[in-house]
Amino acid sequence: MKRYVYINDNESSHKLYCDNRISNRKYTVLNFLPKNLWEQFGRFMNQYFLLIACLQLWSLITPVNPASTWGPLIFIFAVSASKEAWDDYNRYFSDKKANEKLVWVVRQGIRKHIQAQDIHVGNIVWLRENDEVPCDLVLIGTSDPQGLCYVETSALDGETDLKTRVIPATCMGIDFELLHKIKGVIECPNPDKDIRRFDANLRLFPPFIDNDVCPLTIKNTILQSCYLRNTEWACGVAVYTGNETKLGMSRGIPEPKLTAMDAMIDKLTGAIFVFQIVVVMVLGIAGNVWKDTEARKQWYVLYPLEGPWYELLVIPLRFELLCSIMIPISIKVSLDLVKSLYAKFIDWDSEMIDYETGIPSHATNTAISEDLGQVEYIMTDKTGTLTENRMIFRRCCISGVFYGNESGDALKDTKLLNAVAVSSPDVVQFVTVMAICNTVIPIKSKTGAILYKAQSQDEDALVNAAAQLHMVYANKNANILEIRFNGSVIKYELLEILEFTSDRKRMSVVVKDCQNGKFVLLSKGADEAILPYAYDGQQTRTFIEAVEQYAQLGLRTLCLAWRELKEDEYQEWSLMFKEASSTLVDREWRIAEVCQRLERDFEVLGVTAIEDRLQDGVPETIETLRKAGINFWMLTGDKQNTAIQIALSCNFISPEPKGQLLLIDGKTEDEVCRSLERVLLTMRITSSEPKDVAFVVDGWALEIALKHYRKVFTELAILSRTAICCRVTPSQKAQLVELLKSCDYRTLAIGDGGNDVRMIQQADIGVGISGREGLQAARAADYSIGKFRFLKRLILVHGRYSYNRTAFLSQYSFYKSLVICFIQILSFWN
Amino acid sequence: MSSYTPSSSAGGVGSADSAAPRRNSKRPKYSKFTQQELPACKPILTPRWVISAFMLVSIVFIPIGVVSLLASRDVVEIIDRYETECVPQNFRNNRVSFIQSDANKTCTRRLTVTKHMKQPIYVYYQLDNFYQNHRRYVKSRSDSQLRDNSSWNDVSSCKPEDDSNGLPIVPCGLIAWSLFNDTYNFSLNNQQLAVNKREISWKSDRDHKFGNDVLPRNFQNGTLKGGKSLDPTVPLSQQEDLIVWMRTAALPTFRKLYGKIERDLQPNEVIHVTLENNYNTYSFNGKKKLVLSTTSWLGGKNDFLGIAYLTIGGLCFFLALSFTVVYLVKPRRLGDPSYLSWNRNPGGH
């Protein structure tokens, strides 16, 4: 399904799409009472208590004062209703503020100040610096001559760094005045909630030339609730409005997670209900029998000879009323109350504040604190979770020569510095790739120093290292990259960026050297994504060795490569790329396919090694949690050797005599199966010995194991206390969590990056580290903490306290209800 | 987080964090409550602790039990069950028709004093299998009518004994209607033994719950006669038998105070009781007993309290002993992690 947005066409789209009125309200003044009551009575417990309360109004059968049920019932309803009302009132208030905000919108060719709620799809909206964006816009003009603008997206995704947005190529250079009159059509998908995707096309109508269709991506949009920064003005076409914006669509109540304790309480309630029915039946029948045999003889009671038809029901119903309080009416409300207090304790805890960044811990999900005390498996990410994700360029290997091996820091290695000084061609080429094969934006600060804005920590480390090697990435002016090398300025024209995806595991840029007009493809990526594509005849042995050697030291490696392109080859490819980037369906896959055609026959230049240090307190935390009987699994996208090194250094696995590592590998089903069975056998034998046995599996073998040998792998998973899974994709991480969950284990997933989001959402408890890879994981998580070491306190202090307290409270609730109930039965005996 | 801000000239990785000061202001002020550091104590149940606690309980409870048992044994009770003997031989098979007839129901009993009985000696009647706690029965009374003459026609709660011949009954309800009507006359050595029937009810009942201006009206006038009739000239606050009866018993076996004998009785003295066996317990097989009893500082004769104390004390003593034995024979280090579930059974769970 598509929607066609006609720019500046005031009539046609009015009826089709909603206006920009935002409404988050659940209720109106009129429907509040019925709707809220209806919702509350949706719960089984409440229905039950209502039935009891109604029965009590029948004075013939009521053994106690009806107020004893009506009172608590009304109180509980009043509490939850007033909470809802208060929340809804606040929502109404903030909606009203947003709706009545004044914005500049073009109407009949003139800019007018109107209320934000009157914006319609197709309107052109003007924003000034620091304005909040009122709806989802496609940029068509900014004050910047390059068509750039900066936005802060913290309200949308929680990340506070500025993001650059660019106007589509077709709109480049349109005059300020003409922007009022621009006409065209935007073909875009129906509203969805994906804030990272916008696959659309723009076609401008004459006189704005270009019948060409111009592809639009998320880069060309500014979304509702972002702020415009560092840009004097910007204007855009409203494509999604009101509750149909990306933000509006992604709002909504996430499925509530149920704790083990809640499930237990529900089960108990059910059991007590059955017990109650049995008690009522037995006592009711006994009562009726006694009444017929004995009570008739008791003249002083003066039983009427003939009772009404429902006489037989009276005694059982009376017992039912007496027993009704066996099920504690207050348990849900009291548990909600104490649970929100547990969450507050986590927020307040001054020992869980990251003093480096000042980020306190936060419990987003207030309902599952006691599950923290029951965790059995922790699935942890490596980069940014166990490590600091602060990348430092340490070593490199350029055309077979190792730098930085002696000092441990290549930047201080005189060999390398000398090679740069004499402009050794291999080294210069290598450093050039380091400097420009990326998506970093250099920004000149007022003091003249150059600041780099990078999305990825690795790129940041590489660009900074290149700068220290006198290859300074100085400026990016539209498509012209300026590099200062040993005093001279080199310019490149940036033609295409083949962006990084976790499937391709590499990124490339195509640049044109402005000095000699050559087209060059520069690439960097994981070894297995680069080395197999080297041109025939290149010796990649030394690089493989280098990669292995660095990985053993726990360093992250990247391979750098380049290839010269012929002009016609590039032109031909460029057309295909353009076509692929403007498809609406499967765009990502199509682009990957096209990229593959260009990224081949590389000349591999060398390998970089980047260090990522362990966070403080990681080994101690892991050891303590281990002692508490919690099993650790490490799920990382990194290489096997790097993962094992990190695992060794943080007590994850023990070195040889005490610990044993079992490898599961293989490329085919048979190999994987055999190795799986061998490992399982060893595991069974050693399970009685006091030995730390861990298994290591890589993404490929894992895929096969999960697909074909799920049962064997599950048994292995249950047996082993430690596992390292490397080279796994986000969906495999989620699958592993799912696997352990299906064995009835309580799982906790902890991670920091976007690739951990799925496993965090899948796990019983998701913990996000608000780290350097942005806040994506922290937003999706139930708990967010600043550092890995706070996990210890989160689980062992808060988890245990919450568990004990909830257990006590619920046990006490049941106990009290049963006791009161039996006292009532005894004392109202007939 | 705008933390990627190294400058190219300096090269190092700085982390100038603009967000830090803003975030810091969110930190709550230190307080013992927010940090969960309020003083608290939770006893760790070490073997010594548990054993001494049990020992202490047994040391306190056993003497208390002995003392209360002794006190209860001191009480002298004479119990005479008379409901069968007081029915003439020829009516034994049809007791209900006897009790409902107009025949002479006077009956004489002999009670022999076994031990010295110190005054005051309380005279009780004890009924068995009589459900004064029946729902219909308990509710069938009108407190406002009993308290105050002005609300004499407030009989709505008294059904089915609310009125007779169209007029409200005072006192109304099943309880008053079924008032116990056996009478006892005691004589010792042919001397009338005086029974004091004053102040046998609760003082608060006489003063507050039963009005001194409320006179019985239209009582026991209906077709169905229940129990005892009341003197219509005596206000309810002085009708102590009624007041005692209206304090309904919680259990089907109960004693109610009939009066007090205010003189000592010597062993082997024989008391002759002339009783009017009027009350119908035969239709529901209820027993009737006459009880003479002294009191001790603990009340009447009841071994339950003493036995309960002795049982609990003995149980604690036994537990203390057995824990001591276990502790000595097979001691275990406190907080030994090898007993944790995941350490006891490595691998599997």
Side-chain angles (χ1 to χ4, degrees), chain A residues 173-193:
Chain A
I174 294 179
D175 198 56
F176 178 83
E177 291 301 321
L178 282 175
L179 281 174
H180 287 99
K181 302 184 181 99
I182 205 163
K183 296 259 178 187
V185 60
I186 296 172
E187 186 186 332
C188 56
N190 272 346
D192 58 34
K193 58 181 176 183

Side-chain angles (χ1 to χ4, degrees), chain B residues 102-117:
Chain B
D102 291 332
N104 179 18
K105 291 163 189 157
T106 313
C107 162
T108 318
R109 309 287 298 161
R110 282 181 75 228
L111 307 178
T112 315
V113 181
T114 49
K115 265 191 196 162
H116 175 75
M117 290 173 91

Side-chain angles (χ1 to χ4, degrees), chain A residues 55-347:
Chain A
L55 276 179
Q56 290 206 331
L57 291 180
W58 187 9
S59 65
L60 177 69
I61 60 166
T62 177
V64 287
N65 195 334
S68 67
T69 303
W70 281 102
L73 196 71
I74 288 170
F75 177 74
I76 282 166
F77 272 59
V79 167
S80 26
S82 45
K83 188 170 159 278
E84 287 273 322
W86 175 246
D87 289 350
D88 212 49
Y89 179 71
N90 283 337
R91 281 196 288 265
Y92 163 73
F93 210 74
S94 61
D95 285 353
K96 195 172 137 111
K97 238 171 86 185
N99 282 335
E100 290 179 356
K101 211 154 107 183
L102 293 177
V103 287
W104 288 104
V105 170
V106 176
R107 280 281 158 89
Q108 278 96 32
I110 311 156
R111 258 197 290 166
K112 279 185 186 160
H113 229 173
I114 62 165
Q115 289 192 344
Q117 55 186 340
D118 296 327
I119 299 175
H120 286 280
V121 169
N123 285 159
I124 296 179
V125 180
W126 292 75
L127 301 164
R128 286 155 197 273
E129 188 167 356
N130 296 333
D131 273 354
E132 192 185 341
V133 183
C135 58
D136 290 354
L137 304 174
V138 167
L139 271 178
I140 52 169
T142 74
S143 59
D144 185 87
Q146 319 303 335
L148 288 180
C149 75
Y150 297 91
V151 288
E152 189 186 300
T153 58
S154 58
L156 199 61
D157 57 13
E159 297 171 26
T160 53
D161 59 328
L162 295 187
K163 301 220 166 62
T164 52
R165 293 289 187 255
V166 62
I167 63 174
T170 351
C171 300
M172 204 71 85
I174 294 179
D175 198 56
F176 178 83
E177 291 301 321
L178 282 175
L179 281 174
H180 287 99
K181 302 184 181 99
I182 205 163
K183 296 259 178 187
V185 60
I186 296 172
E187 186 186 332
C188 56
N190 272 346
D192 58 34
K193 58 181 176 183
D194 191 346
I195 57 171
R196 271 154 224 288
R197 236 179 117 109
F198 179 72
D199 300 339
N201 288 319
L202 167 68
R203 192 155 49 87
L204 294 183
F205 293 149
F208 297 93
I209 43 120
D210 255 9
N211 286 345
D212 229 11
V213 172
C214 171
L216 299 175
T217 68
I218 199 74
K219 282 247 163 204
N220 305 115
T221 61
I222 42 181
L223 301 181
Q224 189 184 35
S225 84
C226 298
Y227 283 87
L228 190 67
R229 303 280 192 216
N230 294 352
T231 314
E232 203 182 314
W233 57 266
C235 72
V237 182
V239 283
Y240 302 128
T241 48
N243 283 351
E244 291 181 347
T245 59
K246 299 264 185 193
L247 180 74
M249 300 289 286
S250 57
R251 229 181 267 126
I253 309 113
E255 190 142 305
K257 289 185 178 177
L258 201 69
T259 66
M261 195 85 97
D262 288 334
M264 191 70 205
I265 288 173
D266 285 353
K267 256 191 238 162
L268 260 181
T269 312
I272 289 183
F273 183 71
V274 171
F275 174 67
Q276 175 191 326
I277 296 295
V278 170
V279 167
V280 167
M281 300 279 262
V282 169
L283 289 181
I285 289 171
N288 271 331
V289 168
W290 187 84
K291 186 174 117 184
D292 281 347
T293 56
E294 288 296 313
R296 299 263 180 233
K297 296 184 195 155
Q298 279 156 358
W299 55 270
Y300 51 88
V301 179
L302 275 185
Y303 254 117
L305 288 174
E306 275 303 313
W309 57 268
Y310 50 79
E311 207 187 356
L312 275 180
L313 280 179
V314 168
I315 289 180
L317 278 179
R318 256 181 221 155
F319 275 115
E320 171 58 39
L321 289 184
L322 282 177
C323 290
S324 65
I325 48 164
M326 228 186 239
I327 296 171
I329 189 170
S330 61
I331 192 165
K332 274 258 152 36
V333 172
S334 4
L335 278 181
D336 283 353
L337 269 176
V338 292
K339 278 178 178 180
S340 56
L341 191 64
Y342 304 153
K344 273 277 167 256
F345 278 133
I346 292 174
D347 293 356

Side-chain angles (χ1 to χ4, degrees), chain A residues 805-818:
Chain A
R805 286 168 182 167
T806 304
F808 180 80
L809 182 74
S810 29
Q811 282 171 358
Y812 188 76
S813 285
F814 281 116
Y815 161 76
K816 145 218 108 181
S817 310
L818 281 176

Side-chain angles (χ1 to χ4, degrees), chain A residues 565-578:
Chain A
L565 304 175
K566 293 189 191 69
E567 189 170 353
D568 49 350
E569 183 193 359
Y570 165 69
Q571 297 297 1
E572 194 185 318
W573 177 84
S574 169
L575 284 175
M576 287 194 294
F577 186 63
K578 207 164 184 181

